[in-house]
Amino acid sequence: MVNPLAPYLSIISFAIEPILKLGFAIVAIGIVMIALGYDPVGLAVNWIETTIRSFIPGV
């Protein structure tokens, strides 16, 4: 018997797989940064804040 949802499952798998790989890479990099003594969340928040402030004149 043929699964009628097979093409859709293939498309979903094709779309989700890169997202999962990227997520795993981000988690792995975060773990390495913590092991080396860095604060990855703090660095990311600081980078976002600096980027936003650079677009606001006079700040």
Side-chain angles (χ1 to χ4, degrees):
M1 183 165 184
V2 177
N3 184 358
L5 298 176
Y8 302 108
L9 294 174
S10 176
I11 292 170
I12 292 172
S13 174
F14 181 76
I16 291 178
E17 186 178 348
I19 295 170
L20 291 175
K21 286 182 180 180
L22 181 64
F24 177 76
I26 290 171
V27 168
I29 290 171
I31 290 171
V32 170
M33 288 180 72
I34 290 170
L36 294 175
Y38 291 102
D39 178 20
V41 175
L43 290 172
V45 170
N46 188 22
W47 179 79
I48 292 169
E49 180 182 358
T50 304
T51 304
I52 292 171
R53 286 180 180 266
S54 68
F55 286 108
I56 303 172
V59 175

